[in-house]
Amino acid sequence: MHFKTFFGLIILSVFLFSCNQDQNQLVESQIIPIPISTEVINAVFVLNKDTGISLPDDFSISANFLKSFIASGSGIELKSGNDIIFVKDKTMKPEGYRLRISKDNIEITAATDQGAFYAVQSLRQLLPASFESGTFNDKKVEIQSVIINDVPEFRYRGMHLDVARHMFSVDFIKKYIDALALLKMNTFHWHLTEDQGWRIEIKKYPKLQEIAAYRNETLIGHYSDQPHQFDGKRYGGFYTQDDVKEIVAYATARFVTVIPEIEMPGHSQAAIAAYPQLGCTGEQVEVATKWGVFEDIYCTKDETFNFLEDVLDEILELFPSEYIHIGGDEAPKTRWKTCSHCQQKIKDEGLKDEHELQNYFITRMEKYLNSRGRQIIGWDEILEGGLAPNATVMSWRGTESAIEAAKQKHDVVMTPTSHCYFDYYQSDNDKEPLAIGGFIPLEKVYDFNPIPEELTAEEAEYIMGVQGNIWTEYMPNEAQVEYMAFPRMLAMSEVAWSQPDQKDYKNFVSRLEHFHKRLEALDINYANHLYEIEGELVSKNGKPYFELNTITEGKTIRYTTDGSEPIISSEVYTTKIPIVKSTVLKVAVFNSEKRLGKIFIREINLHKAVGKNITINKEPSKAYMGSGPEGLINGINGSNTRFGDKEWLGFSGDDIEVTIDFGEVTEINRISTRFHNGNGQWIYAPKQIYLEFIIDDGSIVTDSIHLESQTEHIITEFNYDFVTPKNLDVKVKQVTLKIPNYGIIEEGKQGATNKAWTFIDEIIVN
Ligand code: ACM
Ligand code: ZN
């Protein structure tokens, strides 16, 4: 953490608001994302019907936005005048601004209308939240005098939205864009085509509207629930070109660029369902009704390229963005391998294999778009078989491709699954609505550093910025999209806009708690996990204690150990709780009147490996590090449903070896653990476990256990009892579990031809 600079730059003063119903109290500077510097002056500016605003041509978007925001928020119609003025300063950075509010006037200085627009968004956040809902009903508002100087850290500040798995109204898309503007984000990545639906009108190809836009039914529940069940209801729709024009104009008026994504060559089954000749087999397929990766992808014959060029011609008319997203991700090569067209193309073009054919595909589309003055952006698989010459990479599978692309002097947008996938769970509470998996709580998003450590300062210049992704397989409606997007989008805005050394999670949380009122006024169904408990088993002088924490200030933590629900009179937590036996802890956050958040429950199993030494030969994946190796012997089981929580560890493709050193000869009877089968997410339990014990005389004893394949169960149990088969002397100094990866995933399954993931839970030794 970098508190020193943070406090050096910002004078954290209190803002005094009066004369209105929702802020007649002392509050701190609450702007999200936090500006570079905020200086508070002991004065207020009074805004009322006599206030005049200048509307210079150079700042017409921002000035008019402010005028109409105040009118719709409060009914106060600003006159023409010089109380609120806009000043051009060409020396400033394009998106930067200065906002000076004094007793006498408000002065907004910027080089561009966009910079001034961001000043207006800061000013908006200094006005009462009731402005957002048009319910401010006083005749005047007092605005705290401040001087804010501000400029963004990154030039690309984006949010993505998948409207193909589920579709949302034009009004909702506008609401989403509004939120981006409020948070000074400047890019809306609109994911328009998928296996499960094609969502944009293309006039030349009417079957995209008639066929590709609709699926016959939709998977119910989670992909990992077996057997798959469907709802039997036709689902779909598309945005007309008029809808698109309306949305693009709306975004443009908020300095949000809309980047359309037309997926190729994969995730194209809906288009192939409409026009089977676009696929390799020519056979009729259906618009997909479940999630995942599908083998029917665009064939590399000329007919496909003609189709895609026609589609892009219409797209280019609708979207003025510099970038067009061409997808590129998750394209299995199965069909290409047996297709005479594709094999002929490989020969004709002198390509090595299907990976180079993917590169040929992307490069050919890039040439087409470049010739029309646009640039391509694609998911990191566009590095496959070589990178198209001018492509920008959206790095999602990790940071390796970002590093590779930046080293090749290509621009990169960071959106790794470890921090930027807002379709992952944000809480490990069992009551969370169904999500795809994973675990990305707010703090993890907030702590994201978009610049990979491996890059030099020069290479880091190619990191254009960051993006949060909203994939909507498990978000059937707008309320659920909002629940998953907020407040993580707010954390992402600060990652994108604010200086790294200004970031302070506790301070962010206190601003977010205040921001809740604004989100409510905006009728946004945000998730509130601010009153949750964090807890972990810690060791002090070799003895276990349980430490509890909650992130918001001024609250009380209360707990029980007898299994009862904590209530307002339950014991107050003041210091680490000593754990002398296996215990069930139930804990919650309270204010002076009532419980605020959900109840946190931990069953602490004080087994024989707790607190011992553990080593693992491989690092878990960044997205599934849990609480590190120690989390496997911390006395706490992982969730039965949230495999990305802090207790499970996930490894991608590795054979792993876990060694527990007891430090002394220990009598043990049983070792058990659990593995997750999440086959939709490429996660498989191992088939075999090898055990190696160092026993009391120093000799090594080995054994192994075969695990039945149980892919229909989401958890595979592993238990090793010492009575059989070798009748070991059960005094053990050290045990190693050798856990080979499941291996290559079979054809026809999600992730086929890739190595599986291994997910392991607590290793319990009794
Ligand atoms: C992706 O998540 N398939 C880009
Ligand atoms: Zn083909």
Side-chain angles (χ1 to χ4, degrees):
M1 283 284 156
H2 312 269
F3 297 103
K4 231 170 50 207
T5 334
F6 173 70
F7 287 112
L9 282 172
I10 296 171
I11 302 165
L12 269 183
S13 298
V14 285
F15 284 15
L16 177 63
F17 292 91
S18 54
C19 311
N20 65 66
Q21 74 281 22
D22 57 356
Q23 282 185 322
N24 56 353
Q25 56 189 338
L26 295 172
V27 288
E28 284 186 347
S29 165
Q30 302 295 356
I31 295 170
I32 295 177
I34 194 162
I36 284 198
S37 79
T38 305
E39 189 183 330
V40 178
I41 294 155
N42 188 16
V44 291
F45 175 87
V46 180
L47 187 147
N48 59 28
K49 67 176 180 25
D50 297 325
T51 305
I53 185 169
S54 70
L55 301 169
D57 287 346
D58 280 351
F59 296 103
S60 68
I61 294 180
S62 44
N64 282 300
F65 184 97
L66 179 60
K67 187 169 187 290
S68 46
F69 180 75
I70 289 169
S72 65
S74 63
I76 298 171
E77 296 284 351
L78 298 181
K79 307 186 302 191
S80 183
N82 288 322
D83 303 307
I84 302 177
I85 57 167
F86 291 79
V87 179
K88 193 167 184 105
D89 177 351
K90 285 189 187 151
T91 66
M92 290 176 75
K93 296 241 172 78
E95 294 187 297
Y97 68 89
R98 182 165 56 249
L99 169 63
R100 186 151 52 192
I101 304 174
S102 72
K103 183 166 88 39
D104 302 320
N105 71 355
I106 295 179
E107 187 181 284
I108 288 170
T109 310
T112 65
D113 205 357
Q114 184 172 6
F117 185 79
Y118 296 138
V120 168
Q121 300 311 313
S122 290
L123 176 54
R124 173 180 178 183
Q125 292 192 27
L126 296 177
L127 293 168
S130 55
F131 271 63
E132 304 288 354
S133 49
T135 55
F136 180 84
N137 55 15
D138 211 329
K139 292 194 167 42
K140 63 171 187 185
V141 57
E142 292 184 0
I143 309 173
Q144 174 63 48
S145 291
V146 285
I147 301 172
I148 294 175
N149 280 290
D150 209 3
V151 67
E153 174 75 355
F154 289 102
R155 62 188 190 277
Y156 184 109
R157 305 180 299 279
M159 280 298 300
H160 150 287
L161 181 65
D162 164 13
V163 295
R165 273 54 176 266
H166 287 100
M167 187 178 171
F168 312 103
S169 67
V170 170
D171 281 347
F172 179 77
I173 305 289
K174 289 182 179 172
K175 187 179 178 190
Y176 194 78
I177 289 169
D178 256 334
L180 296 191
L182 170 64
L183 298 169
K184 305 187 176 88
M185 296 179 111
N186 61 7
T187 309
F188 171 48
H189 169 177
W190 200 4
H191 186 80
L192 285 162
T193 70
E194 260 304 336
D195 301 301
Q196 297 83 4
W198 181 286
R199 301 272 174 255
I200 181 163
E201 180 186 25
I202 300 295
K203 294 192 193 281
K204 189 160 185 182
Y205 293 96
K207 286 188 189 169
L208 292 175
Q209 286 70 253
E210 289 155 24
I211 295 171
Y214 296 90
R215 58 178 180 257
N216 287 332
E217 56 185 355
T218 302
L219 185 73
I220 300 173
H222 197 276
Y223 188 95
S224 296
D225 300 342
Q226 299 285 348
H228 284 163
Q229 291 189 321
F230 297 86
D231 65 4
K233 292 185 201 140
R234 184 172 144 90
Y235 182 93
F238 60 91
Y239 300 94
T240 65
Q241 294 201 353
D242 283 343
D243 291 339
V244 171
K245 284 178 195 155
E246 190 180 324
I247 285 166
V248 170
Y250 191 85
T252 306
R254 284 157 184 76
F255 295 98
V256 172
T257 301
V258 185
I259 297 183
E261 180 178 355
I262 305 297
E263 275 268 21
M264 62 190 80
H267 287 293
S268 48
Q269 190 167 309
I272 297 169
Y275 297 100
Q277 64 272 30
L278 300 174
C280 287
T281 66
E283 281 166 23
Q284 182 65 56
V285 292
E286 64 164 12
V287 178
T289 57
K290 59 180 160 188
W291 322 124
V293 172
F294 296 84
E295 290 179 343
D296 286 292
I297 69 171
Y298 289 128
C299 182
T300 57
K301 58 191 161 204
D302 287 344
E303 194 170 353
T304 311
F305 290 108
N306 293 339
F307 165 81
L308 288 170
E309 288 172 8
D310 290 342
V311 166
L312 289 173
D313 285 347
E314 294 192 32
I315 293 291
L316 298 186
E317 284 295 311
L318 295 167
F319 296 93
S321 58
E322 177 187 0
Y323 294 103
I324 303 294
H325 202 302
I326 46 77
D329 59 320
E330 299 181 316
K333 306 298 179 293
T334 328
R335 296 282 181 265
W336 286 2
K337 282 185 181 151
T338 56
C339 169
S340 58
H341 294 286
C342 290
Q343 291 306 313
Q344 190 60 43
K345 186 68 86 185
I346 288 176
K347 283 206 193 87
D348 292 350
E349 299 293 332
L351 306 173
K352 204 166 74 204
D353 57 14
E354 290 73 24
H355 298 291
E356 289 199 354
L357 187 57
Q358 156 119 354
N359 170 259
Y360 166 84
F361 198 117
I362 301 294
T363 303
R364 183 163 164 171
M365 296 317 300
E366 178 181 75
K367 270 198 200 122
Y368 187 75
L369 287 165
N370 286 172
S371 75
R372 277 148 185 77
R374 308 298 181 95
Q375 298 295 323
I376 65 162
I377 188 164
W379 300 110
D380 55 44
E381 288 93 330
I382 65 169
L383 283 155
E384 224 181 281
L387 193 47
N390 306 312
T392 294
V393 174
M394 199 166 255
S395 182
W396 73 280
R397 289 179 297 181
T399 52
E400 292 79 5
S401 59
I403 295 163
E404 198 181 326
K407 285 189 186 297
Q408 292 183 39
K409 302 191 188 314
H410 283 254
D411 284 337
V412 178
V413 174
M414 298 300 291
T415 182
T417 51
S418 55
H419 295 79
C420 303
Y421 270 50
F422 300 168
D423 56 337
Y424 287 17
Y425 285 105
Q426 55 195 311
S427 160
D428 55 8
N429 195 295
D430 285 347
K431 301 282 183 313
E432 281 295 285
L434 184 69
I436 193 162
F439 182 52
I440 304 186
L442 186 64
E443 186 168 8
K444 183 135 192 209
V445 179
Y446 191 80
D447 285 345
F448 181 46
N449 175 6
I451 308 284
E453 289 166 0
E454 293 85 345
L455 297 182
T456 64
E458 202 178 305
E459 289 159 354
E461 291 294 313
Y462 291 97
I463 306 294
M464 290 207 300
V466 289
Q467 176 173 290
N469 291 340
I470 302 278
W471 299 101
T472 58
E473 287 94 332
Y474 299 96
M475 299 177 214
N477 54 50
E478 295 164 358
Q480 186 59 16
V481 171
E482 291 179 355
Y483 185 84
M484 300 304 276
F486 297 92
R488 287 185 286 192
M489 187 197 289
L490 278 70
M492 188 56 83
S493 80
E494 203 145 308
V495 171
W497 180 278
S498 305
Q499 305 281 307
D501 59 9
Q502 282 180 284
K503 281 168 57 191
D504 172 8
Y505 185 61
K506 245 187 144 75
N507 176 277
F508 171 73
V509 163
S510 100
R511 281 177 288 127
L512 171 58
E513 200 179 8
H514 178 79
F515 209 96
H516 280 171
K517 272 207 277 305
R518 195 164 299 274
L519 294 173
E520 282 153 25
L522 286 163
D523 194 27
I524 289 173
N525 179 40
Y526 64 95
N528 182 357
H529 295 108
L530 294 189
Y531 308 127
E532 283 186 0
I533 293 286
E534 288 182 9
E536 62 177 342
L537 205 65
V538 294
S539 171
K540 195 175 147 193
N541 302 329
K543 298 224 166 68
Y545 290 80
F546 208 85
E547 195 166 55
L548 298 167
N549 196 7
T550 189
I551 187 68
T552 53
E553 302 283 355
K555 310 292 187 305
T556 307
I557 296 174
R558 296 176 185 273
Y559 70 98
T560 66
T561 52
D562 62 3
S564 64
E565 282 203 354
I567 52 174
I568 189 85
S569 56
S570 296
E571 185 139 10
V572 173
Y573 173 82
T574 52
T575 184
K576 297 184 199 52
I577 305 165
I579 303 295
V580 291
K581 59 181 190 337
S582 293
T583 302
V584 179
L585 261 184
K586 293 195 176 175
V587 192
V589 175
F590 292 77
N591 63 14
S592 59
E593 290 156 19
K594 61 176 196 295
R595 172 158 71 81
L596 296 175
K598 291 179 181 144
I599 297 174
F600 167 95
I601 303 172
R602 278 295 173 274
E603 288 180 36
I604 304 151
N605 173 2
L606 219 52
H607 60 80
K608 289 180 178 165
V610 173
K612 302 300 182 205
N613 253 328
I614 183 167
T615 49
I616 308 182
N617 65 328
K618 299 281 179 186
E619 289 259 317
S621 144
K622 279 210 178 87
Y624 300 104
M625 318 206 4
S627 22
E630 289 72 24
L632 292 186
I633 50 167
N634 66 355
I636 299 164
N637 269 3
S639 159
N640 295 331
T641 50
R642 308 278 178 269
F643 304 100
D645 73 1
K646 284 197 188 144
E647 306 304 329
W648 287 90
L649 292 192
F651 297 84
S652 174
D654 291 322
D655 298 332
I656 53 179
E657 292 187 20
V658 184
T659 300
I660 299 168
D661 186 340
F662 295 97
E664 59 195 354
V665 171
T666 301
E667 208 165 299
I668 61 181
N669 302 308
R670 173 175 246 221
I671 298 181
S672 44
T673 186
R674 310 193 300 169
F675 298 96
H676 173 39
N677 286 301
N679 299 166
Q681 276 86 44
W682 313 9
I683 305 164
Y684 286 76
K687 297 170 187 158
Q688 189 90 13
I689 310 273
Y690 300 89
L691 297 111
E692 194 174 283
F693 301 97
I694 300 181
I695 58 172
D696 52 355
D697 66 3
S699 62
I700 294 177
V701 178
T702 60
D703 202 353
S704 75
I705 277 202
H706 177 72
L707 286 181
E708 288 302 321
S709 166
Q710 297 186 341
T711 51
E712 70 282 14
H713 296 296
I714 59 172
I715 288 175
T716 295
E717 308 258 353
F718 162 81
N719 292 302
Y720 183 84
D721 287 300
F722 283 85
V723 280
T724 56
K726 289 205 170 168
N727 241 347
L728 284 175
D729 185 339
V730 290
K731 292 203 172 104
V732 167
K733 283 185 184 159
Q734 183 177 305
V735 58
T736 298
L737 302 183
K738 297 187 178 179
I739 306 164
N741 182 266
Y742 173 86
I744 302 286
I745 300 171
E746 295 87 359
E747 290 289 345
K749 303 261 180 67
Q750 292 300 322
T753 75
N754 292 283
K755 274 191 136 183
W757 287 67
T758 308
F759 271 55
I760 182 171
D761 191 11
E762 181 82 3
I763 300 173
I764 299 169
V765 180
N766 285 307

